[in-house]
Amino acid sequence: MRLNTKYHNEVEIKEEEILHFEKGIPGFPEETKFVVLPLSEDGSFSVMQSVATSELAFVIASPFGFFRSYDFKLEDSVVEEIELKSENDVVVYSILTVEDPFDKTTANLQAPVIINKANNKAKQVILIEEGYKTKHSLFGKTELHKVKG
Amino acid sequence: MLVLTRKNGETIKIGDDIEITIVSSKNDQVKIGIKAPKTIEILRKEVYEQIQEENQQASKDISGLLVNLKSRK
């Protein structure tokens, strides 16, 4: 199907590329379908584009390249909701809040997007772990410390 | 909103499978234990609102900055 997008003009997507967020994402409860479209040539940045709303798109990145010690445990409720059977099926993205200047851009490590690539069910999960926040500087030298809140 | 008075250690039952126990209370802080099916998500409301707010910010238009992203090799 043809899809009008925010940053990629019109693109052709396949039904099997569509991610299903059964309950939408926080702030956008009606937005249940997204596709991931590549953005940067090096593959480190992508866009999570709404299928229903062409003007709605988020810049995302895999967090592990930027935050080496990033680590969390998925709650059982999440594992059940997206029917995760194997750790190998998990894909994790962080939603970025892109700033001007670009080096002020932050990543939301508190609420990663978790995708089950076996069935394309996905959820933006809010971590209970203390220490991860909605704004972690992507290019800063800030170390991740887990601190008790 | 239903308001109930409970003492430390006392429990409220919601439906068949949710129990909320006052673990302790001291000054203006209450520690609450929640027993619920694992399919039910339990979150601090202010954290949820913060994530909503961050998603709103993250969805703003960044067309002007795309060149920075696309050219990364």
Side-chain angles (χ1 to χ4, degrees):
Chain A
M1 62 183 272
R2 306 292 288 174
L3 185 68
N4 282 316
T5 72
K6 188 171 175 119
Y7 301 123
H8 293 76
N9 302 318
E10 201 183 60
V11 295
E12 181 73 29
I13 58 159
K14 299 193 185 88
E15 192 68 34
E16 57 265 32
E17 293 176 80
I18 297 174
L19 304 176
H20 296 268
F21 293 72
E22 199 190 332
K23 299 171 188 163
I25 66 172
F28 301 90
E30 310 294 322
E31 297 286 346
T32 58
K33 292 180 179 182
F34 286 89
V35 286
V36 172
L37 305 169
L39 193 56
S40 59
E41 291 175 27
D42 68 350
S44 55
F45 297 99
S46 302
V47 167
M48 191 170 96
Q49 167 69 48
S50 160
V51 173
T53 311
S54 57
E55 313 82 64
L56 182 63
F58 299 91
V59 178
I60 58 173
S62 169
F64 303 112
F66 296 97
F67 306 97
R68 306 252 168 216
S69 60
Y70 189 42
D71 187 32
F72 55 83
K73 186 183 176 303
L74 286 178
E75 297 291 313
D76 291 343
S77 61
V78 176
V79 173
E80 291 208 354
E81 188 176 328
I82 63 171
E83 296 166 14
L84 262 177
K85 302 274 191 278
S86 162
E87 232 173 86
N88 299 327
D89 293 333
V90 182
V91 178
V92 178
Y93 286 110
S94 290
I95 294 181
L96 306 185
T97 299
V98 177
E99 299 288 353
D100 191 3
F102 183 65
D103 59 11
K104 294 258 191 285
T105 293
T106 58
N108 184 348
L109 296 189
Q110 194 174 8
V113 172
I114 311 292
I115 299 164
N116 179 355
K117 67 178 180 192
N119 61 10
N120 278 349
K121 291 191 179 204
K123 181 178 177 67
Q124 187 179 13
V125 172
I126 300 175
L127 299 181
I128 296 179
E129 269 107 340
E130 303 279 355
Y132 294 135
K133 307 205 181 326
T134 55
K135 288 183 191 294
H136 288 266
S137 177
L138 201 59
F139 304 108
K141 291 266 186 266
T142 45
E143 286 290 311
L144 291 181
H145 288 298
K146 286 204 181 186
V147 285
K148 293 278 175 217
Chain B
M1 184 161 57
L2 172 69
V3 179
L4 298 171
T5 304
R6 300 270 64 192
K7 292 192 173 116
N8 286 348
E10 290 183 337
T11 296
I12 296 164
K13 226 170 123 57
I14 302 174
D16 288 332
D17 42 19
I18 298 176
E19 286 188 4
I20 294 174
T21 303
I22 309 304
V23 176
S24 67
S25 62
K26 209 170 155 188
N27 304 326
D28 64 346
Q29 236 188 6
V30 185
K31 204 175 262 184
I32 297 170
I34 303 159
K35 209 190 268 183
K38 54 184 177 179
T39 48
I40 290 182
E41 212 172 347
I42 299 161
L43 290 168
R44 292 178 172 90
K45 186 178 176 183
E46 69 273 17
V47 172
Y48 189 81
E49 288 171 343
Q50 207 185 341
I51 304 297
Q52 284 183 316
E53 164 64 18
E54 192 62 29
N55 277 350
Q56 293 290 352
Q57 285 182 32
S59 67
K60 73 190 173 189
D61 198 304
I62 55 120
S63 302
L65 288 158
L66 273 186
V67 64
N68 286 310
L69 285 158
K70 285 185 172 167
S71 61
R72 278 180 61 97
K73 289 182 191 174

